[in-house]
């Protein structure tokens, strides 16, 4: 495969990754918005649209495999393609979390605790924003940006821990609140996991640029300051 053709294929993969990411961002925002607004119709749409996310993921993985097999790329290109394959999985999993939140809304038939719904909504918007920035960092191989986004995951973790403590108090002061608290914790757990998946995407950005994964990526002398 000539270099020009490979570059064209890499650009197509970048474009398709952004389309998949946009689908997942939309699902995440819609899932927490529908939960907050007690909108069952929107939750059903999020739930049903998960099939489209799954199909997009597998179609994109297939394209990546074809490019790897046809060109046997090396160094930066190979790291990019391997990471893109991994990110397809991460995005599909975040889509699953959005689907689960939609299912929780449908199962609960509306959780009428505005204060707590507001917190889960904020968590969802934060996770979606992190995802958007993480994918931008990956497409542009911007490791410094990826490192900053990773630190933002602490915000979601802190929101989850604070919500957990408040919900425990909510249950202590009224055992009848147990079911609603369980639903809300289930939602918050999925959002916390979404933040973790975004962190994984950021680690892949660092890997593409430095060749280092995990803790080594943060001490690599090749990582731009």
């Amino acid at each position: 495969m000539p270099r020009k053709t490979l570059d064209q294929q890499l650009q197509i993969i970048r474009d398709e990754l952004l389309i998949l990411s946009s689908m997942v961002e939309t699902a995440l925002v819609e899932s927490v918005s529908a939960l907050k607004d007690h909108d069952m119709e929107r939750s059903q749409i999020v739930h049903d649209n998960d099939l489209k996310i799954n199909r997009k993921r597998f179609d994109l993985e297939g394209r990546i495999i074809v490019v790897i097999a046809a060109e046997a790329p090396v160094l930066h290109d190979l790291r990019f393609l391997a990471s893109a394959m991994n990110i397809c999985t991460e995005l599909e999993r975040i889509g699953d979390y959005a689907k689960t939140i939609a299912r929780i809304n449908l199962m609960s038939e509306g959780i009428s605790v505005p204060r707590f719904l507001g917190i889960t909504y904020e968590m969802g918007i934060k996770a979606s924003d992190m995802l958007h920035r993480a994918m931008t960092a990956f497409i542009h191989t911007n490791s410094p940006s990826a490192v900053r986004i990773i630190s933002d995951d602490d915000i979601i973790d802190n929101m989850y821990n604070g919500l957990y403590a408040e919900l425990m108090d909510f249950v202590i002061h009224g055992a009848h609140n147990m079911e609603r608290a369980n639903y809300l914790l289930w939602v918050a757990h999925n959002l916390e996991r979404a933040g973790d998946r975004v962190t994984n995407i950021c680690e892949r950005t660092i890997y593409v640029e430095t060749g280092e994964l995990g803790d080594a990526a943060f001490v690599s002398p090749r990582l731009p300051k």
Side-chain angles (χ1 to χ4, degrees):
M1 183 183 290
R3 181 71 226 185
K4 181 178 179 181
T5 304
L6 176 58
D7 287 342
Q8 290 172 341
Q9 290 300 317
L10 292 175
Q11 187 57 50
I12 290 171
I13 288 169
R14 291 187 185 94
D15 292 343
E16 292 296 306
L17 266 177
L18 288 177
I19 291 172
L20 176 58
S21 175
S22 178
M23 294 169 68
V24 172
E25 284 180 46
T26 298
L28 200 56
V29 170
E30 286 293 292
S31 70
V32 293
S33 297
L35 181 72
K36 179 174 66 73
D37 297 337
H38 314 299
D39 191 330
M40 303 304 154
E41 183 177 350
R42 287 165 71 192
S43 287
Q44 190 64 57
I45 291 172
V46 171
H47 188 278
D48 295 344
N49 281 347
D50 186 62
L51 285 174
K52 296 179 182 178
I53 291 174
N54 294 345
R55 291 193 197 103
K56 189 69 175 179
R57 172 228 171 152
F58 290 120
D59 286 348
L60 182 50
E61 285 185 347
R63 178 181 288 274
I64 294 169
I65 290 170
V66 168
V67 173
I68 292 174
E71 176 62 11
V74 296
L75 300 177
H76 183 278
D77 291 334
L78 181 58
R79 293 202 298 267
F80 170 79
L81 289 166
S83 296
M85 181 82 78
N86 177 272
I87 287 172
C88 284
T89 302
E90 301 292 355
L91 291 172
E92 190 267 336
R93 293 292 184 269
I94 296 173
D96 286 344
Y97 299 142
K99 176 185 176 181
T100 297
I101 293 169
R103 183 156 59 92
I104 291 168
N105 197 33
L106 294 169
M107 290 170 56
S108 68
E109 299 181 343
I111 307 171
S112 300
V113 193
R115 178 164 61 94
F116 297 136
L117 289 176
I119 296 173
T120 56
Y121 176 77
E122 290 175 11
M123 288 179 68
I125 297 302
K126 180 63 178 177
S128 177
D129 174 66
M130 284 177 59
L131 175 58
H132 184 87
R133 290 185 289 123
M135 289 303 301
T136 300
F138 178 75
I139 294 302
H140 296 289
T141 321
N142 188 336
S143 292
S145 180
V147 171
R148 289 191 294 271
I149 296 163
I150 288 172
S151 67
D152 283 355
D153 187 47
D154 290 341
I155 298 173
I156 291 183
D157 290 342
N158 290 336
M159 292 176 76
Y160 173 76
N161 292 333
L163 179 61
Y164 182 90
E166 287 193 48
L167 286 172
M168 291 303 97
D169 187 64
F170 184 55
V171 171
I172 288 171
H173 288 85
H176 62 282
N177 295 321
M178 177 68 76
E179 184 177 36
R180 289 184 293 173
N182 282 336
Y183 280 132
L184 288 163
L185 280 175
W186 193 4
V187 169
H189 175 70
N190 278 273
L191 295 171
E192 189 270 338
R193 292 295 297 133
D196 291 342
R197 297 284 181 178
V198 173
T199 293
N200 293 344
I201 292 172
C202 291
E203 289 176 352
R204 283 288 167 175
T205 300
I206 298 167
Y207 167 70
V208 172
E209 187 162 346
T210 69
E212 301 285 357
L213 272 175
D215 292 340
F218 297 96
V219 297
S220 170
R222 295 190 296 277
L223 180 61
K225 300 300 183 182

